[in-house]
Amino acid sequence: MADGTPLLHLLIKEKRFAGVPVLAGLVLSVAAGELVALVGPSGCGKSTVLMLAAGLDGDFTGERHLAPHVHPAVHFQEPSLLPWRSLAANVDMALPAPQRNKGHAGRWLGRVELPVQSHGQFPTQVSLGMQRRAALARTLAMGSDLLLLDEPLVSLDAALAERLRALLLQQMQERPGLGILLVTHDLAEAAQLADRILVLGNRPAGVINELRPAGKRGERSPQQISMAVRQLNTAEPLQSSIIDQSNTEKRPEPEIPWK
Amino acid sequence: MRTALSTLLILIVWQVAAWAVAGPTLPGPVLVGGVLLREAAAGQLWLHLGITLARVAAAFILALSIGTAIGIAMGRSSLLDNVMGPWLTLALNVPALVVIVLAYLWFGLTEAAAIGAVAVNKIPNVVVQVRAGARALDPALARMAKAYRFSRWDRLRHLLLPHLQPYLFAAARNGLSLVWKIVLVVELLGRGNGVGFKIHLAFQLFDVASLLAYALAFVIVAQMIEMAVMAPLERRACRWRGDHG
């Protein structure tokens, strides 16, 4: 898929939980070659947005469009590994049957720095952090053009998290058609990795702010990152990229080529 | 060691009771053991025990596979559960004897009717247990299987069946004991061989020693199946739980 092609377009008019609206008037899109971060206070509905984007929850009013032949790979906040299968078998499960048991699983587990001895172990025999990394390997192994990642690096030690961020950036470099939607509560992480940052807020939640940090993804200086974090923390929406909440309904919809 | 002691205790109580009764209504363990050895030497024991075991195995496999299929379907689909729920209650409450007699009346005194009747008696219990298991599937794992687009076969083989394993073992355990009890009734009512048939003969001849000998033989076999098949299988299936690693 060419750089810039839209991969996902999601319009949430309203999403309710037990009758209570939790999301409203939210527009989100991810294009090929783009890493979009979704930030916001915990409990504001970031993970819910991800589930809707993944198509795992169809109970909302609005629209969801995926580019043809795109099957998003989802990384859940909880590892969600099959407890009765080894780490390697869990990664293999994400692959189509003919590609299983061919060493792909071992390679991907290696890339998230899981030692070879752990590949044959059951999830209950390794730490939660290792389970999370195995789940990330599973998501990446699928080879999807669209990754939907829910806090993939949470609870990992700082150095390891940094190396895995580099792995994500490397994936973006190697595969120009790849788009990533990254849900994170870590503003610095978003400011370091993302091309665009969407800030979720209010109740029911919508995108209250959108920021394109200065500099190139992955190459930003500490000053640029802390500048972006400051901008994200300011309550005032930024001039350059305000999404006006009051007339979301009237706003013309973006052009979607396959519609 | 404890098992051996408790077995010895039962034998002692039995022998003392036999001395107290002192008559043909309660032969002691020595006498019954003698009958057991005589029947074994004559080949009678192996013949009837083997036939009964074959019937138990056939009915057991039939009941477990059909019951598992229905149980999964009912546990994962509320529509099916609503439609078939009342039938299940009905099936659970039909007395075993009624099913057996009806099977013989409708399909004749045949092997198929006998095994089918036993399976039909057991299926509802399997359904209840497997349905409870299928309902308890972790929604996070179900969601994961959907996200990773598991095929039907993958879902069954890698998600549902491993999850159902403890429920299936419970169903198999009490299935085995229930099935063999019903097989004896089926044999008593309409078969010309098997342990149930021998017990029927013993009853007519008032031969309590033979009756006890055959019952004892089957209890020993059931215990051996538990120790040699069920327990190792269960240990193997539960390796992932972490307490063995």
Side-chain angles (χ1 to χ4, degrees):
Chain A
M1 209 140 314
D3 215 4
T5 317
L7 297 173
L8 165 75
H9 176 72
L10 182 68
L11 162 68
I12 304 169
K13 283 190 184 135
E14 194 178 61
K15 165 68 186 168
R16 288 165 178 265
F17 272 128
V20 182
V22 288
L23 299 169
L26 189 150
V27 184
L28 181 154
S29 64
V30 180
E34 189 182 34
L35 198 157
V36 178
L38 190 61
V39 301
S42 52
C44 74
K46 299 189 294 288
S47 295
T48 307
V49 173
L50 200 88
M51 286 303 113
L52 301 192
L56 292 173
D57 182 354
D59 180 25
F60 70 105
T61 56
E63 291 170 41
R64 171 177 176 266
H65 298 285
L66 280 177
H69 312 300
V70 167
H71 302 293
V74 190
H75 176 84
F76 299 98
Q77 203 167 347
E78 290 310 312
S80 305
L81 299 170
L82 296 173
W84 39 78
R85 293 285 183 267
S86 69
L87 299 187
N90 265 286
V91 174
D92 260 339
M93 292 306 305
L95 302 170
Q99 288 179 37
R100 290 177 193 163
N101 302 315
K102 296 225 168 109
H104 296 297
R107 262 200 303 286
W108 278 107
L109 289 170
R111 292 190 80 169
V112 296
E113 302 190 19
L114 286 169
V116 177
Q117 316 82 273
S118 70
H119 297 185
Q121 287 189 295
F122 293 110
T124 44
Q125 295 171 322
V126 303
S127 71
L128 183 61
M130 289 171 84
Q131 293 178 32
R132 286 215 161 96
R133 276 186 278 156
L136 183 62
R138 177 178 64 183
T139 308
L140 295 174
M142 211 177 146
S144 168
D145 281 328
L146 177 61
L147 304 185
L148 306 175
L149 310 178
D150 195 351
E151 302 274 13
L153 308 177
V154 76
S155 84
L156 299 179
D157 74 74
L160 179 60
E162 191 54 42
R163 291 199 296 276
L164 293 182
R165 277 182 210 116
L167 175 64
L168 286 182
L169 289 169
Q170 190 195 344
Q171 286 290 299
M172 294 288 294
Q173 289 259 296
E174 282 172 9
R175 300 178 47 205
L178 180 66
I180 298 182
L181 176 64
L182 172 72
V183 166
T184 178
H185 70 282
D186 182 346
L187 297 182
E189 179 174 283
Q192 181 194 353
L193 298 180
D195 299 295
R196 267 192 308 138
I197 301 171
L198 306 176
V199 184
L200 220 57
N202 290 342
R203 192 125 271 244
V207 176
I208 54 167
N209 200 347
E210 178 172 342
L211 176 73
R212 286 175 188 275
K216 260 191 87 183
R217 121 173 53 97
E219 297 170 8
R220 294 183 183 116
S221 64
Q223 288 77 19
Q224 284 175 315
I225 290 173
S226 55
M227 168 72 180
V229 169
R230 261 203 311 284
Q231 286 174 316
L232 288 170
N233 273 324
T234 51
E236 288 299 306
L238 289 155
Q239 277 303 306
S240 58
S241 53
I242 304 170
I243 288 187
D244 192 341
Q245 279 283 289
S246 58
N247 61 4
T248 316
E249 298 288 328
K250 279 169 264 162
R251 220 155 46 87
E253 282 195 29
E255 282 292 314
I256 312 280
W258 60 85
K259 252 173 106 175
Chain B
M1 186 61 199
R2 278 187 203 169
T3 321
L5 274 179
S6 101
T7 311
L8 189 67
L9 188 67
I10 292 180
L11 289 177
I12 290 170
V13 170
W14 180 6
Q15 184 61 65
V16 170
W19 280 328
V21 172
T25 40
L26 185 59
V30 178
L31 194 69
V32 170
V35 174
L36 197 62
L37 288 178
R38 203 183 60 221
E39 292 282 307
Q44 283 287 302
L45 180 73
W46 307 120
L47 174 74
H48 293 289
L49 204 57
I51 285 168
T52 298
L53 267 177
R55 287 186 185 125
V56 167
F60 176 76
I61 291 168
L62 207 61
L64 212 63
S65 43
I66 295 175
T68 302
I70 298 175
I72 290 177
M74 286 179 78
R76 300 308 295 166
S77 153
S78 54
L79 175 72
L80 272 179
D81 196 28
N82 287 335
V83 172
M84 296 175 70
W87 306 350
L88 183 63
T89 316
L90 182 77
L92 275 169
N93 288 299
V94 174
L97 197 56
V98 173
V99 175
I100 295 165
V101 171
L102 278 178
Y104 278 151
L105 283 177
W106 289 343
F107 304 107
L109 293 174
T110 62
E111 201 59 51
I115 291 169
V118 179
V120 166
N121 271 305
K122 174 59 193 162
I123 286 170
N125 300 66
V126 179
V127 171
V128 168
Q129 258 158 331
V130 172
R131 179 179 66 172
R135 279 178 182 160
L137 182 66
D138 181 357
L141 288 184
R143 197 178 57 179
M144 184 279 294
K146 198 178 161 200
Y148 285 92
R149 311 202 311 147
F150 277 27
S151 64
R152 264 172 178 278
W153 170 240
D154 279 348
R155 264 182 68 85
L156 187 69
R157 182 165 159 232
H158 298 292
L159 180 63
L160 267 172
L161 288 181
H163 161 78
L164 286 175
Q165 237 153 21
Y167 300 89
L168 287 173
F169 272 112
R173 277 241 164 74
N174 53 40
L176 213 55
S177 60
L178 185 68
V179 162
W180 98 263
K181 285 170 193 166
I182 301 173
V183 163
L184 292 202
V185 179
V186 167
E187 287 175 344
L188 186 141
L189 285 175
R191 298 277 78 201
N193 48 28
V195 175
F197 168 75
K198 287 298 281 187
I199 287 175
H200 188 46
L201 280 188
F203 172 55
Q204 286 174 336
L205 301 172
F206 207 74
D207 180 0
V208 182
S210 286
L211 195 152
L212 287 179
Y214 272 92
L216 192 66
F218 211 99
V219 170
I220 293 170
V221 169
Q223 190 59 37
M224 273 160 53
I225 292 174
E226 163 68 28
M227 286 194 309
V229 183
M230 301 295 273
L233 263 182
E234 192 166 17
R235 263 200 304 279
R236 209 188 112 71
C238 294
R239 274 176 314 156
W240 59 271
R241 284 185 198 278
D243 40 324
H244 297 290

